[in-house]
Amino acid sequence: MSARTVLAVSDLTAAYGNATALHGVSLEVREGETVALIGANGAGKSTTLRTISGLLAARSGRIAWEGKDITNWPADRVVAAGLSHCPEERHVWPEMTVEENLRLGGYLCGSRREVDRRAALAFGRFPRLQERAGQLAGTLSGGEQQMLAIARALMSEPRLLMLDEPSLGLSPKMAEDVFAVVRDINRHGVTVLLVEQNVHNALSVASRAYVLETGRVTAERNAGDLRDDPDLLRTYLGG
């Protein structure tokens, strides 16, 4: 694993109206890592991803991608720079087919041929989606919709993939399949920043983890240390 930092977030603040959601969040992601953001509901995990990806404006602080300041770039420019965001609750277009949903992820491609190439790669990685290419996305199972959302995010060929709650609402078996996909994506060179409510699932794929509490980073630890020490987990997360 390279030690080169590709994403550096420094003293980031963000708000929804008058309600401040992030209070000086700082974190870094190195090339080739999977880094998890963990914490209770409302801790600011999803807000952190939304601010990095340009869906929510930062009030202050800095977001640097490969050394370049991308703070408050529009979302399409963030995607073009090499970051892709797979949102919570999947947000597939239910009245469009699996293939149509997938191809929409390649909207920044310069040609139809390039979209075709990326779609073929996606179907090769997700054979279940290829079997259902002509099926309406709204008729897929929750796990299949999650696979589609991840495949669609990969259509931009990101160097950093941000995943928000990929196992939300899934059966344990389907969640296991999704995290196998996350491992495979990372093995093939895509750096991953993961938000996941299921702490043990998150720590099973991550190399490092940041703990968020009420919009603040309260700890950064090696994922293995947290995974193997229940007392340490309780110290940071309660319960």
Side-chain angles (χ1 to χ4, degrees):
M1 182 183 297
S2 170
R4 183 173 75 100
T5 296
V6 290
L7 178 70
V9 176
S10 305
D11 296 319
L12 190 66
T13 66
Y16 297 100
N18 293 324
T20 301
L22 300 181
H23 302 267
V25 167
S26 296
L27 60 88
E28 68 174 36
V29 180
R30 295 188 288 268
E31 187 175 31
E33 283 189 303
T34 294
V35 173
L37 304 182
I38 59 177
N41 284 331
K45 306 183 302 296
S46 296
T47 300
T48 300
L49 296 194
R50 287 174 55 81
T51 309
I52 294 169
S53 64
L55 298 175
L56 180 67
R59 288 278 179 89
S60 63
R62 184 174 188 264
I63 303 164
W65 168 245
E66 297 188 327
K68 181 180 294 185
D69 190 340
I70 64 167
T71 312
N72 289 331
W73 277 19
D76 60 336
R77 191 178 177 193
V78 173
V79 173
L83 298 86
S84 188
H85 183 180
C86 185
E88 185 180 3
E89 297 182 351
R90 300 176 277 276
H91 295 294
V92 299
W93 285 275
E95 301 302 321
M96 301 177 72
T97 68
V98 168
E99 184 167 4
E100 288 168 339
N101 269 269
L102 186 64
R103 287 177 172 275
L104 282 172
Y107 73 98
L108 289 177
C109 292
S111 68
R112 174 69 178 268
R113 179 176 295 181
E114 181 61 17
V115 175
D116 290 344
R117 183 189 71 82
R118 295 185 187 190
L121 288 174
F123 281 136
R125 172 173 274 160
F126 300 92
R128 194 177 309 179
L129 296 181
Q130 186 164 31
E131 293 169 5
R132 292 157 173 74
Q135 188 173 325
L136 293 181
T139 66
L140 299 178
S141 70
E144 290 165 346
Q145 288 187 20
Q146 184 62 69
M147 296 290 189
L148 176 56
I150 294 173
R152 185 181 60 196
L154 291 172
M155 283 288 289
S156 65
E157 296 194 338
R159 298 191 297 283
L160 172 67
L161 177 64
M162 294 182 285
L163 290 170
D164 195 352
E165 301 284 8
S167 74
L168 184 68
L170 302 186
S171 69
K173 175 61 173 68
M174 188 55 73
E176 183 179 319
D177 291 346
V178 166
F179 279 98
V181 167
V182 174
R183 291 187 189 92
D184 181 68
I185 290 167
N186 184 242
R187 277 197 300 268
H188 282 82
V190 179
T191 304
V192 177
L193 179 58
L194 169 70
V195 162
E196 175 57 43
Q197 186 67 28
N198 187 313
V199 172
H200 293 284
N201 280 346
L203 297 179
S204 74
V205 297
S207 51
R208 290 187 301 117
Y210 289 89
V211 181
L212 271 70
E213 183 178 355
T214 60
R216 296 174 172 85
V217 172
T218 56
E220 176 203 351
R221 297 299 297 255
N222 179 281
D225 292 342
L226 287 172
R227 185 176 60 245
D228 298 335
D229 191 335
D231 292 335
L232 192 59
L233 266 182
R234 280 192 292 271
T235 297
Y236 290 132
L237 300 175

